Amino acid sequence: MFQELRFAFRMLRKQPAFSLIAALTLALGIGATSAVFSLIQAVLLTPPPYQKPEQLVLIPAARTDGQKVDSPRGWAAEQWMEWQKEGKSFEGIAAYDWTFNFLIRNDGSQSMQGMDVTKDYLRVMGLRPVVGRGFEDSDFAQGPVKAIVLGYEFWQRAFGGDKEIVGKTVRISRWDVPPTVVGVISGCPAIRIRSV
């Protein structure tokens, strides 16, 4: 076995260009395979963080005349309230809207992706906090947003998993009043509330 390894090493030294190309080909192949497997693991093999995902339905905005929607806008609040009151086919109805802001800290700012959600979002999605609490009725008062729930990954990345963040305020760009962190939820970005 030792002789075979010496022979292989001698052959590689004789043709350095071939050896370099072979090493690069192996590196690219291993890297591509690893990237594809990571994607498959994240998208296909890891179950979503929601309870009973097979029962969830996404209702996208659409035009009634059949034309293409150039820039989809959310449903009107009045429409949501009517669906919640009159809808008999659904266990619950909740809405969300993506938002992008910056977390402002003394040592600099950090971009953050989040969601504005309606009152029943956490219940409908079957999400429970891993730290702190979810939203309460008092969090949905009129005026500026008073409460925010952090996503688990963002909490780990931005705050190092500090459990003491619950109950503290955080400064967010374009928000006049810093909201209080009330909890941390796995599987979601930072969530703030929207009164609907």
Side-chain angles (χ1 to χ4, degrees), residues 111-191:
S111 65
M112 63 184 287
Q113 177 180 354
M115 295 165 57
D116 291 331
V117 299
T118 56
K119 190 175 184 177
D120 290 335
Y121 183 82
L122 300 180
R123 182 187 63 79
V124 168
M125 301 305 281
L127 297 171
R128 290 187 177 82
V130 293
V131 175
R133 64 171 176 86
F135 296 122
E136 295 176 348
D137 288 345
S138 60
D139 296 327
F140 287 87
Q142 292 294 328
V145 174
K146 297 172 182 67
I148 187 170
V149 173
L150 300 176
Y152 185 84
E153 289 79 14
F154 182 75
W155 173 59
Q156 290 290 324
R157 188 175 67 249
F159 299 102
D162 180 16
K163 292 182 180 180
E164 300 298 317
I165 192 67
V166 174
K168 294 182 180 175
T169 59
V170 291
R171 291 185 351 200
I172 299 175
S173 64
R174 297 181 287 182
W175 290 28
D176 295 332
V177 178
T180 301
V181 176
V182 296
V184 176
I185 291 190
S186 182
C188 283
I191 297 176

Side-chain angles (χ1 to χ4, degrees), residues 30-80:
I30 291 169
T33 302
S34 176
V36 168
F37 179 76
S38 296
L39 180 66
I40 289 172
Q41 173 71 24
V43 174
L44 299 176
L45 302 178
T46 303
Y50 313 119
Q51 292 180 3
K52 302 179 184 173
E54 69 279 357
Q55 294 182 3
L56 295 176
V57 177
L58 176 65
I59 304 171
R63 290 179 50 154
T64 57
D65 59 4
Q67 299 294 319
K68 183 180 176 204
V69 179
D70 292 330
S71 59
R73 296 177 189 255
W75 300 99
E78 189 175 317
Q79 179 70 58
W80 279 107

Side-chain angles (χ1 to χ4, degrees), residues 63-122:
R63 290 179 50 154
T64 57
D65 59 4
Q67 299 294 319
K68 183 180 176 204
V69 179
D70 292 330
S71 59
R73 296 177 189 255
W75 300 99
E78 189 175 317
Q79 179 70 58
W80 279 107
M81 289 188 287
E82 184 179 330
W83 282 353
Q84 286 176 329
K85 189 170 87 176
E86 302 294 329
K88 307 288 187 243
S89 302
F90 299 103
E91 186 177 311
I93 296 176
Y96 71 92
D97 187 26
W98 289 104
T99 179
F100 300 92
N101 295 87
F102 288 94
L103 175 68
I104 301 169
R105 304 177 75 169
N106 293 335
D107 56 350
S109 62
Q110 182 174 355
S111 65
M112 63 184 287
Q113 177 180 354
M115 295 165 57
D116 291 331
V117 299
T118 56
K119 190 175 184 177
D120 290 335
Y121 183 82
L122 300 180

